[in-house]
C-alpha cells in the first residue's frame, strides 16, 4: 500500500514538475502507439469493412486467422520482427532495429487484427439491404462506405479503443525490437520494467499511474467523440 | 407517349427453380403503376431490376429510351429515382438526419425548407429531432417516405410500403403517394400484395405470378374485366399458389 501511495505522490510530483525525461518518454509512447494506431486503422478499417460485407470462398479461414491474431502474443510478434529486421534478416538493410520505427511496426501488427475483427463484426451486424437503400437514395460507392462506417461507429470506436489499449500497455514486443534505449526507444512500459528491475518501485508505480492516466484520457476522448455522434445528441 | 422505364426480354433466375421472365413492360411518365401478386412471385426482384439496383442476367432496362445497367447508370440518372422498401432501413440517427441524407449525398446545403416540408407532409415535424429508434413502425415508414420525397424524384419505387401497418398509417401513406403523383407528377411504381391498395391508388395494374406478368391493364379494366382467368381467380381469392 505504501509503495502505491508513494507511487501516486511521485507520479503527481513528476507530472507537475514537468520532468523533461518523463515528458520525453510520454511523448515517444504517444508517438509510437498513436502512429501504430493510425497505420493499423488505415489498413484494418477497410479490411474489416470488406470482410463484414463480402462473402467469398475461404472467408471462414481468413476470419479464423483474424480471430487468432486478436490474441497474438506480443513477444512472438516482437521476436518475428526482430528476426526480420536484424542484420542477417531479410529486412536488415532497413536499419530499423532498435528504433521507434520497429516499435511502430510491431504495435501496428498487434493492433491490426483487433481493429479488423471489431470492425468486421459491427459491419456484419448492419442489415445488408441498407446498402441497396443507400444506393437508391443516390449515394456513391464511397458515400455508401462512409455511411456504413458511421452506422457501425460503436463497433469502430470499440476497435480503436481496444487497439490503442492493447498497444500502449504492451511491453514484450517493444522491449525486443526497441531495446529500451534511453532518449531513443524508451517508452512508458519499458521504463516501468527497467525501474522495477532497479528496485525503484515507487518510480515504476508512478510511471504505471501515468500510463493508466494516458490510456484513460485517450479512451475518454474517444468515448466523448462517440457520444457526440450519438443521435440523442444531434 | 414514350415510356419512362422499359424492360425488354428480361430473364433472371435465382433460387433453384425461380425465373423472372418479362418479355416487355413499360412504365409511363406520371402514372402510378401497381404490380400485384402473391408472395414469392418476383415482385421485389422486378422492382430492383427496374430501379437498376440489380442487373438482370438477360435483357435490357431502358430509362428514357436508353439502355443502362446497374453498373453503368450515371449517378445523375440514378439520383432521379428513389426506392422505399418494406423495411424502413433508417440510419441510426435523428429523424431530421435521415430525411436529409439524400440531399447531403448530393452536396445540397439548402434543403432546410424541403426537409421541413417533407416532414410536414408525413406529419412528423414534431419528431424531427427524435432518434429513430424511438419511432413506431408506422412513423419509421413515414420517415422513410419523407426521405425519398424530399428528393423530388422523377420515379418513386415503393415495395410493399404499408405492409404490417395499421389502417391510420396506411391512409396517411396512401395520401402522400397520391399527392406526390398528382402535385409533382412523380411516376410511382408500387409493389403490393394488397389488391385494394392497388385499386385505390393505381392508374394501371399488372399481375405478376410465378415470375411472369399475366396481365397488365388500366385499373378499371383490371378489376372489372380481367382478360386472363388467373387474374380473375387472383382477384376473387381463388388462385391457388
Amino acid at each position: 500500500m505504501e509503495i502505491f501511495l508513494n507511487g501516486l505522490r511521485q507520479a503527481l510530483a513528476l507530472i507537475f514538475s514537468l520532468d523533461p525525461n518523463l515528458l520525453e518518454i510520454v511523448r515517444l509512447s504517444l508517438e509510437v502507439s498513436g502512429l501504430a494506431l493510425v497505420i493499423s486503422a488505415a489498413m484494418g478499417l477497410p479490411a474489416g469493412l470488406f470482410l463484414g460485407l463480402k462473402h467469398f470462398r475461404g472467408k471462414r479461414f481468413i476470419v479464423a486467422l483474424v480471430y487468432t491474431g486478436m490474441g497474438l502474443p506480443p513477444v512472438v510478434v516482437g521476436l518475428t520482427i526482430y528476426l526480420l529486421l536484424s542484420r542477417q534478416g531479410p529486412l536488415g538493410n532497413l536499419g530499423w532495429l532498435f528504433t521507434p520505427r520497429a516499435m511502430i511496426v510491431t504495435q501496428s501488427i498487434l493492433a491490426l487484427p483487433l481493429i479488423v475483427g471489431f470492425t468486421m463484426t459491427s459491419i456484419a451486424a448492419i442489415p445488408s439491404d441498407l446498402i441497396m437503400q443507400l444506393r437508391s437514395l443516390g449515394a456513391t460507392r464511397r458515400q455508401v462506405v462512409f455511411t456504413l462506417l458511421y452506422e457501425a461507429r460503436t463497433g469502430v470506436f470499440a476497435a480503436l479503443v481496444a487497439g490503442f489499449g492493447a498497444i500502449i500497455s504492451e511491453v514484450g514486443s517493444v522491449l525486443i525490437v526497441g531495446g529500451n534505449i534511453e532518449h531513443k526507444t524508451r517508452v512508458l512500459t519499458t521504463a516501468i520494467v527497467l525501474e522495477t528491475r532497479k528496485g525503484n518501485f515507487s518510480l515504476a508505480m508512478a510511471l504505471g499511474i501515468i500510463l493508466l492516466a494516458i490510456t484513460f484520457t485517450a479512451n475518454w476522448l474517444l468515448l466523448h467523440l462517440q457520444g457526440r455522434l450519438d443521435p440523442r445528441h444531434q | 407517349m414514350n415510356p419512362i422505364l422499359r424492360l425488354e426480354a428480361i430473364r433472371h433466375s435465382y433460387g433453384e427453380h425461380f425465373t423472372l421472365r418479362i418479355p416487355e413492360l413499360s412504365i409511363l411518365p406520371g402514372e402510378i403503376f401497381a404490380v400485384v401478386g402473391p408472395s414469392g412471385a418476383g415482385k421485389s426482384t422486378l422492382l430492383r431490376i427496374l430501379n437498376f439496383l440489380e442487373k438482370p442476367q438477360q435483357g435490357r432496362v431502358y430509362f428514357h429510351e436508353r439502355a443502362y445497367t446497374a453498373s453503368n447508370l450515371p449517378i445523375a440518372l440514378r439520383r432521379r429515382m428513389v426506392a422505399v422498401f418494406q423495411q424502413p432501413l433508417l440510419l441510426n440517427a435523428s429523424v431530421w438526419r435521415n430525411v436529409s441524407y439524400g440531399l447531403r449525398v448530393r452536396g445540397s446545403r439548402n434543403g432546410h425548407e424541403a426537409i421541413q416540408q417533407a416532414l410536414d407532409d408525413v406529419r412528423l415535424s414534431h419528431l424531427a429531432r427524435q432518434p429513430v429508434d424511438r419511432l413506431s413502425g408506422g412513423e419509421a415508414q413515414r420517415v422513410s417516405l419523407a426521405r425519398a420525397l424530399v428528393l423530388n424524384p422523377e420515379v418513386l419505387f415503393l415495395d410493399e410500403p404499408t405492409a404490417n401497418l395499421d389502417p391510420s398509417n396506411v391512409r396517411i401513406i396512401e395520401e402522400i403517394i397520391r399527392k406526390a403523383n398528382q402535385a409533382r407528377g412523380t411516376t410511382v411504381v408500387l409493389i403490393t400484395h394488397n389488391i385494394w391498395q392497388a385499386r385505390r391508388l393505381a392508374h394501371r395494374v399488372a399481375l405478376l405470378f410465378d415470375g411472369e406478368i399475366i396481365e397488365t391493364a388500366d385499373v378499371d379494366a383490371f378489376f372489372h374485366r380481367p382478360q386472363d382467368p388467373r387474374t380473375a381467380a387472383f382477384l376473387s381469392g381463388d388462385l391457388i399458389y
Side-chain angles (χ1 to χ4, degrees):
Chain A
M1 192 65 188
E2 200 180 323
I3 290 174
F4 183 78
L5 286 175
N6 280 340
L8 191 61
R9 218 171 287 134
Q10 208 166 341
L12 290 171
L14 277 171
I15 291 167
F16 286 112
S17 69
L18 295 175
D19 181 82
N21 278 336
L22 175 73
L23 289 181
E24 185 186 76
I25 291 172
V26 168
R27 183 184 54 76
L28 188 63
S29 299
L30 287 174
E31 269 179 20
V32 168
S33 297
L35 268 172
L37 186 68
V38 169
I39 291 167
S40 51
M43 294 161 71
L45 291 178
L49 196 70
F50 179 81
L51 287 172
L53 291 175
K54 300 287 181 186
H55 298 282
F56 55 91
R57 213 179 155 88
K59 177 179 169 177
R60 196 169 290 179
F61 177 73
I62 292 175
V63 171
L65 281 180
V66 171
Y67 286 155
T68 307
M70 289 169 91
L72 268 184
V75 283
V76 175
V77 175
L79 179 63
T80 309
I81 299 299
Y82 177 91
L83 293 172
L84 288 172
L85 293 178
S86 62
R87 196 163 293 177
Q88 287 81 25
L91 301 174
N93 58 342
L94 290 174
W96 284 8
L97 195 62
F98 303 128
T99 69
R101 286 184 177 185
M103 296 152 75
I104 292 168
V105 170
T106 57
Q107 293 204 342
S108 301
I109 291 169
L110 287 170
L112 183 64
L114 289 165
I115 291 177
V116 174
F118 277 98
T119 306
M120 174 185 71
T121 312
S122 53
I123 290 287
I126 294 174
S128 56
D129 285 349
L130 182 64
I131 297 171
M132 198 165 60
Q133 177 69 82
L134 298 176
R135 286 182 59 207
S136 170
L137 285 165
T140 59
R141 284 183 195 282
R142 180 188 289 255
Q143 287 168 331
V144 168
V145 165
F146 280 108
T147 306
L148 292 177
L149 281 175
Y150 183 80
E151 278 299 284
R153 57 193 176 275
T154 306
V156 170
F157 276 109
L160 298 176
V161 165
F164 185 73
I167 56 180
I168 189 85
S169 60
E170 185 278 321
V171 63
S173 73
V174 285
L175 199 57
I176 294 174
V177 302
N180 193 28
I181 303 167
E182 196 174 11
H183 304 306
K184 197 177 171 198
T185 60
R186 182 162 298 165
V187 287
L188 278 164
T189 51
T190 54
I192 291 169
V193 171
L194 181 73
E195 295 306 328
T196 305
R197 280 183 189 155
K198 283 160 67 180
N200 294 332
F201 297 121
S202 294
L203 181 56
M205 185 57 77
L207 292 169
I209 290 167
I210 290 167
L211 176 62
L212 276 176
I214 288 172
T215 311
F216 176 82
T217 308
N219 287 337
W220 187 83
L221 285 173
L222 280 169
L223 285 171
H224 183 68
L225 185 59
Q226 185 188 345
R228 286 178 63 110
L229 295 175
D230 191 286
R232 284 162 192 80
H233 296 116
Q234 285 167 5
Chain B
M1 188 189 292
N2 285 333
I4 192 166
L5 284 160
R6 185 160 64 85
L7 299 184
E8 186 183 273
I10 297 292
R11 280 186 76 88
H12 190 72
S13 302
Y14 61 89
E16 282 190 18
H17 306 294
F18 187 84
T19 304
L20 188 69
R21 304 171 298 278
I22 301 180
E24 204 276 333
L25 178 69
S26 294
I27 312 293
L28 303 175
E31 73 170 342
I32 298 182
F33 183 84
V35 180
V36 298
S39 299
K43 302 191 295 295
S44 296
T45 307
L46 171 62
L47 180 133
R48 288 196 298 273
I49 288 173
L50 275 169
N51 192 196
F52 296 95
L53 292 172
E54 193 164 337
K55 187 179 176 183
Q57 289 151 356
Q58 287 178 38
R60 289 197 178 87
V61 187
Y62 295 85
F63 183 51
H64 285 293
E65 290 300 302
R66 283 194 65 176
Y68 299 99
T69 67
S71 49
N72 74 6
L73 181 72
I75 189 75
L77 294 187
R78 172 170 297 291
R79 288 177 172 173
R80 286 160 65 176
M81 305 175 242
V82 64
V84 173
F85 298 100
Q86 184 176 344
Q87 297 298 325
L89 295 167
L90 300 177
L91 301 171
N92 183 17
S94 66
V95 167
W96 184 277
R97 275 189 76 83
N98 269 280
V99 176
S100 65
Y101 181 81
L103 294 171
R104 281 186 282 124
V105 298
R106 284 161 175 76
S108 168
R109 297 187 184 281
N110 305 316
H112 195 275
E113 276 180 29
I115 296 165
Q116 191 58 56
Q117 182 61 52
L119 285 171
D120 286 344
D121 287 346
V122 299
R123 303 180 200 178
L124 288 176
S125 300
H126 60 294
L127 298 178
R129 301 290 162 195
Q130 187 96 301
V132 294
D133 57 4
R134 294 186 195 157
L135 301 178
S136 70
E139 288 167 344
Q141 190 59 293
R142 279 149 60 193
V143 172
S144 177
L145 200 55
R147 179 172 63 173
L149 289 174
V150 75
L151 303 172
N152 199 9
E154 196 175 339
V155 187
L156 175 64
F157 296 94
L158 301 165
D159 189 358
E160 305 276 10
T162 60
N164 311 319
L165 296 187
D166 60 278
S168 144
N169 272 301
V170 171
R171 190 172 54 80
I172 293 171
I173 287 173
E174 288 187 0
E175 267 175 32
I176 298 162
I177 296 166
R178 201 175 286 117
K179 186 179 164 191
N181 173 255
Q182 288 173 356
R184 304 182 189 178
T186 306
T187 304
V188 178
V189 179
L190 170 68
I191 302 289
T192 180
H193 65 266
N194 182 340
I195 54 172
W196 308 114
Q197 182 168 66
R199 189 174 181 167
R200 286 193 295 272
L201 288 175
H203 300 115
R204 288 196 305 143
V205 185
L207 171 65
L208 187 69
F209 181 71
D210 199 20
E212 282 187 90
I213 290 193
I214 304 298
E215 182 167 352
T216 304
D218 288 347
V219 66
D220 188 55
F222 187 88
F223 283 96
H224 294 111
R225 297 179 297 283
Q227 299 298 303
D228 192 288
R230 288 169 292 181
T231 310
F234 181 72
L235 294 174
S236 63
D238 294 332
L239 188 66
I240 305 298
Y241 46 84

